[in-house]
């Protein structure tokens, strides 16, 4: 089989096909082994399946080889001193085992030759073909002789034709028996049977040489294996290959890769077998005419006088005829690609003139020099940037890759770095002594004496030590002093500044603490900081060899008692990283900071690193902590635990990972403090388990004839299952209902009654969350061919949407979980009693259509189809029932807050907390992991502030910043409703957080829920007077429509009703049922529609008179963004203008519009409860007349106005009152600190000095407003310092917006906030290539169809359907005046880029003057315009040639 291949893949293939076990040595993360890709490819197509065991970088591969013994084991590695020195220690044991060590070398055999003397066989391959053949020979030799073979081959051999052996021939070759040998009559000598010297051209025999018996035995085994290999590959494999002159005067023996020119009188002998070497065979290769032997070996870093092959040659030649004179010299074989005949002649000439010095031929690298600096993975800059930011010019990385250029790669090792640090600290100590000696000089100038005294006091201060040291040097140079200490001070001037010295390394140091250099640093007592980056992803933690678990460096260092230790994760807590690094720098002594940075490769997106970090921190695998032993001296606790999740799950963490158990044993008081509340939790858990066991026992005794198991994400399938259960009970059927995941296959196999399965569909045909474990087990059992369910009788009802994935190739996603469940159960032996029922959201009654057919068949099987049910079915509990029974929004929230057994609130209470501005959520990044651990989801809460008009004072901003740190996730978000939103607030922090919000005269009441929410208004920085009027109008409307219940103050602010039950709450506007759905109000000031006024239930468009005074507002009603995938009864709608009102009438108009919606909205179906549906059902004219009836007057006609944009006006603006305003770009509104973008810290510093206000925009950006002239430069300085004034972004990015989505939003189906910036990176390149960098194109993304980021008014929009999958919409109006329309139902990133690339190019070439992208897509025929919301689905899917088809039909919105 002929092919072109490289040596690494060639050897990897042979190792894979010949071995039972392959141990593959991994490269330093994030790089992967050079052999891995070949193994991965072979695993998919080869019939042979060896066990591939990775040996992680820094680990000892010997233990893996010795522990995993087999008929034949192969070890593959790229040769390095770190790997091979570890092998040397165990070669005595390894050499007696059938192991092949395939070692890839680049240009130097120095490291691999360390193994030569300790192994029976050592082969060297120079070409790819030789590597292939020798790999086979090595496998045969190791398997037959049961001895270790080292096969060193050059990884960078030139590509070329390769004859490979077919896979089916390999195993027979290995299993072939030994050939029968005829024993020689005499010992092996240099003479063949014909009496002539082997390889001796002139036929003159040499004196007989008696070889060592052990060497003879090994060599004969080699020859036998080589002969067997020859019969397979049809190519000879010789230990020595000679070429050149037949009667040479000079023989050049080479060990290494060479391509030397023919030279008269010179013979070249290339060595392929470096061990064993029978002297007789070596002498046979040297003709009798030879007078000079030059041994060239490719060993650039050989530190002893004599090289390995040279010693063998000298020993062999000593046995030749003593009368023959020889000159034998050693040399280095360099890169011979450029070697010419004169170079060889020059070598011979040098050997003649100097017989003692080591020769060189070819280009030999300069020791210590490197051509390129060591590569630093880009993700590691997350930590190095923080170090640079914290310590600036004080920072010194003692093993910086930049040192390699001048000092060689050894400069990057920890041992070398520690030596550098020790030398620097010794020099600084010498400087301190010289300075103190100088102080004793009574003749010192008073100024110099003062400077030196100050430096001695401030020598450990980074800034002062540098400036004072500079002044001392200048003084000494300008006024020389004869004192000897002065010369010493000047000689040591570089050590005046106090530096922060760091050594940065990887987790490879964790495998062998004793020999990694880390032990020496920890035990040194030096003031040095060590940053260890651990890159092993949490999800890959179990892939490593379990016998070589990494040591816990943190505990190891803490045991020393005088070492500062911290464990940090920048993608979990940026502020904790800053704190830990700063404390490490201040600590006098060794400091070890363990930094988590999990990634597989440099291409890994930051989003994946974030998810892996959260899993590790939440599970306790990577706890965040700081250990400062210096605090003990002050009577303080030295240990600080910084990760809440570890506190919550401390017992599981201690049992599982044993990270802190020793610490707890040594500090009993700490143990008591940390786990003091654990006992009650355990008691409660045991009570629950006992109750569950009792219930299970009763169920087993009762043996109900119907078991209903359901899997549901959104609740629809759960409702169907509960409805089926209620109807069964009404018919007298004993019924049990549970989730799929609550049953194991073994338990289900014992069920003899009918089991009804009800499941919905999630994502791309995936099972719902609470059924995934069951589905995994079911699939595994089906794959094994088990017959578990011989007794089981079942039926399945599946719920899905046939148009959710409209493309023909995606049709199989429709009801896939239900279909798979039905077929798998049958395959496992279960009996189907009713055919699969399919509920389709596209049917007239949705899933009810299919359900009505399926349910009667179930009753028939159970024999209760004739039972007449006269009782009315109990109504399902809806939001309307919850509101009515809540006692004006109280429910049992107060009791739920006191329940410490769970991090959640009751389901009904989570509907009520929305009215209080709170959403219950859980971290979806780690939901599966926590379920696997058997613990509840990582519940937390989102808090949204009510802040009408989005205006915030500096002291309020500082409070929000502090609340985020003390109660939330450390970040907060500016929302599209012009307010603040906090995530990650755990239950016990809810009340303190809300109380802190109220202390600065803000609240959260009505920020969410079925009430009027936060009223928003345009920011208009240039019109100060008008903004003041509009802002006051916003507050007036908000205050007028605020709920009047006292529940908020009772629950959160502890203000109880004074008269007990005698005093009842009353809601004059809302009543006890509140509104059918949420109600949103916005106020826009033309020409800027930055609030997207038409996206709101009620919009006020300011009308300004000629004198700049606010005259009133045009009134728009019926806007709304929410849609449900697959439900065509839902659609977005842009508001309709119904008339004009004055500012004084505004709040009453708002009230009456809301009252008509209160009384006429659809309370039976929340999906159709918004005002937009009420208007379309009643008709706009009828609705308007109802509003006017309540007002008592008719609204006058709307007045003219003009909008021209809906994006923010970035940069500096000056208002009419002379005050200045700066609009910042904050991508997607996230206020956080990250390397290079410390927005949170910067805004905190601005708030400390700012005397004006902050204005939040509805596009999630921020204005620093009302800056007086006197304060302008200070604000500009801070903006510049924290890079907050950077507006050098593309027009596309400046016009983008995204909702939060994963990981906290429970409704999210796909990424949004975390993904949109990455997508824009790629799309804006298209814009730049076509000259559109500065053109604003409004692009928005949401993780679900509810529309929080107002996607349906964007020019380009993406609405999440499943992870990585979005609906794509086009054609929205640039200033929010027109809805877009679905262009493609389902797209992934490659499809998005493929669609946009030609579209953007065409827009750049064909657009009209002033034509916006949304308008262009309509004119160019990509998409039809949406004239009104109710027609949104019509003509979706593109126009003409751009129309998307699905199975012959146009893809319509699902």
């Amino acid at each position: 089989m002929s092919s072109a291949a490289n040596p690494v893949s060639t050897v990897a293939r042979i190792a894979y096909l010949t071995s039972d076990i392959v141990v593959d040595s991994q490269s330093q993360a994030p790089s992967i082994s050079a052999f891995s890709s070949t193994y991965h490819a072979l695993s998919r197509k080869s019939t042979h399946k060896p066990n591939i065991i990775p040996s992680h970088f820094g680990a000892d591969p010997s233990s893996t080889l010795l522990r995993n013994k087999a008929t034949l084991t192969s070890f593959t590695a790229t040769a390095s001193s770190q790997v091979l020195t570890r092998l040397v220690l165990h070669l005595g044991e390894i050499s007696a085992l059938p192991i092949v060590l395939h070692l890839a070398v680049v240009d130097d055999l120095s490291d691999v030759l360390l193994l030569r003397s300790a192994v029976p066989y050592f082969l060297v391959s120079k070409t790819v073909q030789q590597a292939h053949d020798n790999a086979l020979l090595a496998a045969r030799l190791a398997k037959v002789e049961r001895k270790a073979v080292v096969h060193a081959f050059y990884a960078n051999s030139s590509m070329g034709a390769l004859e490979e052996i077919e896979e089916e021939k390999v195993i027979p070759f290995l299993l072939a028996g030994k050939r029968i040998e005829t024993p020689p009559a005499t010992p092996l000598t240099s003479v063949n049977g014909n009496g002539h010297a082997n390889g001796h051209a002139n036929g003159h025999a040499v004196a007989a040489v008696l070889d060592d018996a052990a060497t003879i035995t090994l060599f004969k085994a080699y020859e036998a294996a080589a002969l067997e290999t020859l019969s397979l590959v049809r190519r000879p494999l010789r230990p020595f290959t000679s070429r050149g002159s037949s009667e040479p005067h000079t023989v050049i023996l080479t060990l290494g890769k060479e391509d030397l020119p023919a030279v008269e009188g010179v013979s070249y002998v290339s060595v392929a077998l470096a061990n064993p070497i029978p002297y007789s065979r070596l002498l046979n290769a040297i003709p009798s005419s030879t007078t000079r032997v030059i041994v060239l070996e490719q060993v650039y870093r050989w530190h002893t006088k004599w090289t390995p092959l040279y010693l063998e040659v000298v020993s062999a030649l000593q046995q030749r005829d003593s009368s023959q004179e020889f000159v034998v010299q050693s040399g280095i074989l360099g890169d011979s690609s450029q070697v010419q005949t004169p170079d060889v002649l020059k070598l011979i000439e040098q050997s003649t003139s100097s017989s003692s010095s080591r020769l060189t031929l070819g280009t030999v690298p300069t020791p210590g020099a490197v051509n390129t600096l060591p590569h630093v993975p880009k993700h590691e800059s997350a930590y190095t940037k923080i170090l640079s930011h914290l310590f600036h010019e004080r920072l010194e990385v003692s093993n910086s890759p930049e040192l390699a250029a001048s000092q060689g790669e050894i400069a990057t090792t920890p041992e070398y770095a520690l030596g550098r640090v020790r030398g620097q600290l010794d020099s600084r100590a010498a400087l301190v002594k010289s300075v103190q000696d100088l102080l004793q000089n009574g003749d010192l100038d008073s100024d110099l004496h003062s400077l030196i005294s100050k430096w001695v006091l401030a020598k450990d201060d980074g800034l002062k030590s540098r400036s004072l040291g500079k002044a001392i040097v200048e003084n000494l140079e300008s006024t020389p002093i004869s004192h000897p200490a002065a010369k010493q001070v000047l000689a040591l001037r570089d050590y005046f500044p106090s530096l922060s010295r760091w050594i940065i390394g990887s987790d490879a140091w964790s495998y062998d603490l004793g020999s990694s250099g880390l032990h020496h640093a920890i035990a040194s007592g030096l003031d040095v900081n060590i940053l260890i980056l651990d890159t092993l992803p949490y999800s890959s933690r179990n892939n490593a060899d379990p016998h070589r678990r990494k040591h816990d460096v943190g505990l190891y260092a803490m045991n020393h008692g005088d070492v500062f230790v911290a464990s940090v994760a920048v993608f979990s807590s940026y502020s904790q990283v800053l704190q830990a690094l700063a404390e490490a720098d201040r600590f006098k002594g060794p400091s070890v900071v363990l930094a988590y940075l999990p990634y597989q490769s440099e291409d890994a997106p930051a989003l994946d690193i974030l998810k892996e970090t959260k899993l590790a921190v939440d599970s306790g695998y990577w706890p965040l902590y700081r250990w400062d032993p210096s605090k003990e001296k002050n009577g303080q606790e030295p240990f600080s635990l910084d990760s809440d999740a570890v506190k919550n799950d401390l017992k599981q963490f201690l049992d599982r990972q044993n990270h802190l158990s020793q610490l707890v044993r040594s500090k009993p008081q700490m143990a008591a403090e940390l786990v003091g509340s654990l006992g009650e939790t355990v008691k409660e858990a045991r009570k629950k388990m006992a109750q569950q066991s009792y219930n299970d026992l009763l169920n087993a005794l009762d043996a109900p004839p119907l078991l209903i198991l359901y899997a549901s994400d959104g609740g629809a399938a759960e409702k169907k299952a509960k409805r089926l259960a209620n109807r069964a009970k009404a018919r007298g059927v004993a019924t049990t209902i549970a989730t799929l995941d609550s049953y194991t296959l073994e338990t289900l196999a014992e069920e003899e009654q009918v089991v009804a399965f009800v499941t919905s569909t999630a994502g791309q045909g995936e099972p719902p969350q609470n059924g995934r474990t069951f589905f995994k087990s079911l699939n595994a059992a089906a794959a094994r061919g088990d017959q578990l369910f011989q007794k089981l009788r079942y039926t399945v009802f599946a719920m899905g949407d046939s148009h959710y994935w409209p493309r023909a190739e995606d049709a199989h996603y429709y009801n896939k979980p239900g279909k798979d469940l039905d077929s798998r159960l049958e395959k496992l032996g279960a009996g189907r009693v009713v055919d699969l029922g399919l509920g389709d959201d596209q049917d007239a009654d949705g899933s009810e259509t299919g359900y009505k057919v399926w349910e009667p068949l179930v009753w028939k099987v159970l024999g209760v189809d004739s039972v007449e049910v006269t009782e009315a079915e109990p109504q399902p509990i809806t939001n309307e029932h919850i509101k009515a029974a809540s006692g004006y929004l109280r429910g049992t929230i107060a009791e739920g807050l006191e329940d410490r057994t769970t991090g959640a609130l009751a389901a009904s209470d989570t509907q009520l907390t929305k009215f209080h501005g709170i959403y219950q959520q859980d971290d979806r990044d780690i939901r599966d992991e926590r379920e696997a651990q058997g613990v509840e989801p990582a519940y937390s809460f989102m808090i949204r502030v009510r802040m009408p008009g989005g205006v915030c004072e500096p002291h309020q901003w500082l409070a929000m910043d502090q609340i985020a740190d003390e109660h939330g996730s450390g970040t907060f978000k500016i929302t599209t409703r012009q307010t603040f939103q906090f995530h990650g607030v755990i239950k016990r922090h809810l009340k303190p957080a809300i109380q802190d919000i109220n202390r600065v005269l803000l609240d959260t009441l009505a920020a969410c829920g079925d009430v009027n929410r936060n009223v928003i208004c345009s920011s208009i920085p240039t019109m100060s007077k008008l903004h003041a009027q509009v802002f006051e109008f916003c507050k007036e409307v908000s205050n007028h429509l605020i709920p009047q219940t006292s529940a908020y103050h009772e629950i959160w602010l502890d203000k109880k009703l004074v008269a007990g039950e005698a005093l009842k709450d009353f809601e004059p506007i809302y009543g006890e049922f509140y509104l059918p759905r949420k109600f949103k109000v916005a106020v826009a000031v033309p020409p800027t529609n930055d609030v997207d006024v038409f996206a709101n239930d009620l919009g006020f468009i300011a009308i300004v008179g000629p004198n700049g005074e606010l005259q009133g507002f045009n009134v728009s009603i019926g806007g709304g963004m929410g849609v449900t995938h697959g439900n065509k009864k839902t659609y977005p709608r842009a508001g309709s203008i119904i008339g004009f009102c004055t500012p004084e009438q505004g709040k009453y108009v708002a009230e009456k519009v809301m009252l008509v919606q209160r009384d006429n909205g659809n309370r039976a179906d929340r999906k159709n409860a918004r005002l937009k549906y009420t208007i379309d059902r009643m008709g706009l004219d009828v609705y308007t007349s109802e509003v006017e009836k309540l007002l008592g007057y008719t609204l006058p006609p709307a007045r003219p106005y003009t909008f021209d944009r809906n994006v923010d006006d970035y940069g500096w603006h000056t208002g009419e009152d002379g005050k200045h305003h700066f609009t910042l770009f904050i991508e997607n509104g996230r206020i956080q600190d990250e390397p290079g973008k410390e927005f949170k810290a910067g805004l905190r510093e601005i708030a400390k000095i700012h005397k004006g206000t902050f204005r939040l925009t509805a596009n999630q950006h921020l204005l620093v407003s009302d800056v007086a002239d006197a304060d302008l430069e200070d604000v500009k300085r801070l903006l510049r310092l924290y890079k907050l004034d950077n507006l050098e972004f593309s027009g596309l990015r400046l016009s983008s917006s995204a909702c939060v989505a994963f990981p906290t939003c429970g409704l999210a189906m796909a990424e949004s906030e975390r993904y949109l910036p990455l997508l824009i990176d790629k799309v804006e390149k298209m814009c730049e290539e076509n000259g559109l960098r500065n053109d604003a194109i409004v692009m928005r993304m949401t993780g679900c169809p509810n529309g929080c980021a107002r996607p349906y008014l964007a020019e380009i929009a993406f609405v999440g359907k499943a992870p990585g999958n979005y609906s794509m919409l086009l054609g929205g109006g640039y200033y929010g005046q027109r809805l877009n329309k679905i262009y493609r139902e389902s797209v992934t990133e490659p499809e998005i880029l493929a669609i946009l690339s030609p579209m953007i190019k065409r827009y750049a070439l064909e657009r009209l003057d002033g034509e916006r992208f949304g308008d262009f897509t309509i004119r160019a025929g990509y998409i039809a315009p949406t004239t009104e919301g109710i027609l949104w689905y019509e003509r979706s899917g593109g126009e003409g040639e751009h129309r998307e088809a699905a199975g012959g039909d146009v893809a319509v919105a699902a």
Side-chain angles (χ1 to χ4, degrees), residues 66-80:
L66 294 172
R67 193 167 48 252
N68 296 281
K69 296 176 182 177
T71 307
L72 181 62
T73 300
S74 286
F75 173 71
T76 54
T78 299
S80 69

Side-chain angles (χ1 to χ4, degrees), residues 44 302 381 436 549 945 971 991 1274 1326 1404 1417:
R44 296 197 301 269
W302 198 261
S381 65
Q436 290 172 340
R549 187 168 173 266
V945 178
T971 73
K991 184 180 281 190
D1274 287 340
M1326 300 176 188
T1417 57

Side-chain angles (χ1 to χ4, degrees), residues 325-439:
E325 292 289 336
F326 276 101
V327 175
V328 185
Q329 285 183 282
S330 171
I332 303 298
L333 176 63
D335 179 6
S336 61
S337 58
Q338 304 298 321
V339 172
Q340 303 294 325
T341 300
D343 298 314
V344 179
L345 294 174
K346 183 178 180 181
L347 172 75
I348 296 171
E349 182 183 349
Q350 289 174 343
S351 69
T352 305
S353 61
S354 175
S355 60
S356 60
S357 62
R358 185 173 290 177
L359 308 171
T360 60
L361 180 63
T363 306
V364 177
T366 304
V370 293
N371 296 325
T372 57
L373 295 179
H375 174 64
V376 178
K378 65 177 183 180
H379 293 300
E380 293 187 9
S381 65
Y383 287 103
T384 54
K385 281 184 179 179
I386 295 175
L387 288 175
S388 299
H389 169 74
L390 274 177
F391 305 120
H392 301 290
E393 57 187 4
R394 288 188 59 227
L395 176 65
E396 177 173 290
V397 179
S398 299
N399 61 338
S400 171
E402 296 174 359
L403 297 171
S406 59
Q407 302 177 39
E409 290 191 12
I410 192 173
T412 63
T413 63
E415 295 85 355
Y416 185 92
L418 185 61
R420 282 190 78 231
V421 171
R422 185 181 293 277
Q424 291 170 350
L425 293 176
D426 288 346
S427 296
R428 195 161 198 261
L431 172 65
V432 173
K433 184 178 185 304
S434 296
V435 167
Q436 290 172 340
D437 289 345
L438 199 57
L439 274 176

